Amino acid sequence: GKSSLLNRLAGRRIAIVDPTSGVTRDRVTAEIRVGDRSVELVDTGGIGIVDSLRLEAQIERQIELAVAAADLIVFLVDARDGLTPLDREVARRLRRVRVPVIVVVNKVDSDRLEAAGAGEFHALGFGEPLLASATHGRGMTALLAALAARLPAPPREDAAPAAADGIRLALVGRTNVGKSSLLNRLARAERVIVSEVPGTTRDAVDVRFELGGHRYVAIDTAGMRRRGALATAVDYYGQVRAERSVRRADVVLLLIDAAVSISVVDKNLGAAVREQVKPCVLVVNKWDLAAEAGATPPAYERYLRAELAGLEFAPIALVSARTGFNVAGLLDLARSLHGQAGIRVATADLNRVLEAARERQQPHRRGRRAPRLFYGTQVGVHPPTFVLFVNDPGLFDERYARYFENRLRAAFPFAEVPLKVEFRARSARADRRAQA
């Protein structure tokens, strides 16, 4: 019930919860408030689980890293199963750790189980166990109070407001494209499991790191597959979280496997990124293998642009997560895109560009009524969003919106980011004001 507890304390569905044991493999994190402090929760894989892909050693390594970095450990046991030999083995391992341990008896879902109390779990030797139900929310107030009491004193700098997380980078791509390898390379840490077996990553894993004075949150996601290839509910939930990661990202790193042909999955991912109007870097991974096979950057770029329609603005980075080739420049590129997406332009400058664009190419007339563009204004950033006031939005099609988008991108510092252009009817009140 570790993932259920993380979701309950975070107040939202972050980790995948499924009756199948061993769903969690990587360290899944969430930030919550405990009293007046911000605390990072880390969900880990289950100790002693037999993994379907034989990744037990890698999962154990992630658990060890989480325990080594922890200030406080919540040791969950199961009220329904009672005290098991594996619980005793976990307790033996945790006694060697020099941080506080709180035992939480989970799945106390009924008054009968609550009346039975902690009972045999006292034998674990970590003090009075807490009774809780992550599924039903029982015992959460007592647990938060226990966390607040057992956390170490904050360092002095914690008294200052916490800095923002930084730029959120979603790493998306089809299975076995190298997302986890790239994330570990970016974070300079063994943060997620890397395996040649497709489908290793299931959860969307947030990894916070700082480099060169800049903060980032890299989001590793499950490898995308065709809908018909999703074999289990866990696969489906992994895909849903990957899609959600695109929506909450500031910049998307869309990974392409240079060693194989562009697939339908790659094209669908590109369309999803474009639909969400997200800045995007087309990260061509395994370039070392493609170069050995005779690929050249100009030829591959022409091929990629032809295959991924709608992302012509997105910069291309040829990298190798395995060797580190060109990986360092990805963070600089992501910061540049994030900066472009936050630019605002003066209304007067915008309307000069719109007037020139209108004179250069008039929209096609539909029926008797001629389309008329009055003026435009920028109403938002991330993405840069422009509203163009017209006599009738129905007279302006998607093709003309793309034309204006390209003119805006050419005139202002938006060369590598998507723009959002909306046509809106000018109100009658504005017409009367203009005539007066």
Side-chain angles (χ1 to χ4, degrees):
K2 299 182 299 298
S3 298
S4 295
L5 182 60
L6 179 134
N7 289 348
R8 170 66 66 176
L9 292 175
R12 61 190 190 280
R13 295 179 181 177
I14 296 173
I16 295 176
V17 175
D18 190 84
T20 307
S21 62
V23 169
T24 302
R25 289 172 174 152
D26 293 298
R27 286 174 277 163
V28 180
T29 65
E31 286 198 5
I32 67 168
R33 299 297 297 180
V34 176
D36 60 352
R37 298 177 63 183
S38 178
V39 173
E40 183 179 49
L41 297 178
V42 183
D43 181 23
T44 66
I47 294 175
I49 290 295
V50 176
D51 186 75
S52 60
L53 299 182
R54 313 306 300 171
L55 297 171
E56 292 90 351
Q58 292 94 321
I59 295 170
E60 284 282 341
R61 174 62 176 161
Q62 291 297 312
I63 296 170
E64 291 172 3
L65 292 170
V67 168
D71 295 306
L72 177 63
I73 294 172
V74 178
F75 174 16
L76 260 70
V77 293
D78 191 322
R80 298 173 184 172
D81 291 345
L83 185 60
T84 68
L86 187 54
D87 292 331
R88 293 183 184 276
E89 171 59 21
V90 173
R92 185 187 66 79
R93 292 170 58 172
L94 291 181
R95 288 191 194 101
R96 300 198 297 263
V97 179
R98 296 183 179 182
V99 298
V101 176
I102 297 174
V103 175
V104 176
V105 184
N106 193 29
K107 303 184 184 179
V108 181
D109 300 329
S110 67
D111 294 337
R112 179 183 60 81
L113 289 171
E114 187 167 7
E120 56 191 335
F121 294 108
H122 284 89
L124 294 172
F126 295 108
E128 181 68 28
L130 298 177
L131 304 181
S133 170
T135 300
H136 296 98
R138 288 188 179 205
M140 293 301 108
T141 300
L143 175 56
L144 287 170
L147 295 179
R150 302 294 295 278
L151 284 170
R156 289 186 176 181
E157 57 266 29
D158 275 15
D165 273 339
I167 300 175
R168 295 185 297 272
L169 309 173
L171 282 68
V172 300
R174 58 182 174 181
T175 57
N176 214 30
V177 75
K179 298 182 298 298
S180 296
S181 296
L182 180 60
L183 186 147
N184 286 345
R185 180 73 67 171
L186 290 172
R188 300 185 178 184
E190 186 183 340
R191 188 55 185 79
V192 288
I193 294 173
V194 175
S195 170
E196 293 297 325
V197 180
T200 299
T201 303
R202 287 166 165 171
D203 289 283
V205 181
D206 286 16
V207 177
R208 294 169 176 82
F209 64 98
E210 186 171 337
L211 196 62
H214 302 283
R215 292 180 176 235
Y216 306 90
V217 180
I219 311 167
D220 190 19
T221 62
M224 300 297 282
R225 312 180 188 193
R226 292 179 293 104
R227 288 290 181 182
L230 301 180
T232 68
V234 173
D235 291 335
Y236 170 76
Y237 293 135
Q239 302 282 286
V240 169
R241 280 161 172 74
E243 293 165 0
R244 186 186 302 162
S245 297
V246 171
R247 292 196 295 271
R248 65 188 179 96
D250 297 313
V251 177
V252 175
L253 303 183
L254 174 53
L255 270 72
I256 304 295
D257 190 336
V260 298
S261 300
I262 299 296
S263 69
V264 172
V265 174
D266 296 320
K267 294 179 181 181
N268 289 343
L269 275 170
V273 172
R274 186 67 178 86
E275 183 180 350
Q276 295 296 326
V277 202
K278 295 293 183 179
C280 174
V281 181
L282 300 177
V283 182
V284 182
N285 193 27
K286 307 181 186 179
W287 183 250
D288 50 332
L289 302 180
E292 289 174 4
T296 63
Y300 193 87
E301 180 171 349
R302 289 193 296 272
Y303 164 68
L304 193 59
R305 295 296 186 198
E307 293 292 327
L308 295 181
L311 291 175
E312 62 283 344
F313 55 85
I316 297 173
L318 308 178
V319 308
S320 171
R322 182 180 64 85
T323 67
F325 173 72
N326 271 354
V327 169
L330 282 178
L331 295 178
D332 294 334
L333 188 52
R335 287 203 314 277
S336 174
L337 297 186
H338 188 250
Q340 291 179 45
I343 290 174
R344 288 186 178 273
V345 300
T347 300
D349 293 337
L350 170 63
N351 281 282
R352 278 195 290 271
V353 172
L354 294 181
E355 179 63 25
R358 182 178 59 183
E359 291 179 355
R360 179 174 177 175
Q361 181 176 322
Q362 290 287 340
H364 295 295
R365 186 172 185 141
R366 296 186 181 183
R368 296 181 178 180
R369 196 172 185 199
R372 295 180 61 194
L373 170 65
F374 299 115
Y375 63 95
T377 184
Q378 185 176 358
V379 297
V381 294
H382 299 294
T385 303
F386 301 88
V387 172
L388 307 183
F389 290 91
V390 298
N391 59 335
D392 182 356
L395 300 176
F396 294 81
D397 57 16
E398 180 65 23
R399 184 173 56 179
Y400 204 67
R402 286 292 179 90
Y403 164 70
F404 270 123
E405 183 180 327
N406 290 334
R407 300 308 302 167
L408 292 171
R409 191 177 287 113
F412 301 112
F414 301 127
E416 298 172 308
V417 295
L419 308 179
K420 191 173 182 179
V421 175
E422 302 174 2
F423 294 103
R424 190 176 300 174
R426 190 169 68 168
S427 66
R429 179 183 299 178
D431 283 337
R432 288 195 298 270
R433 187 165 58 244
Q435 291 171 3

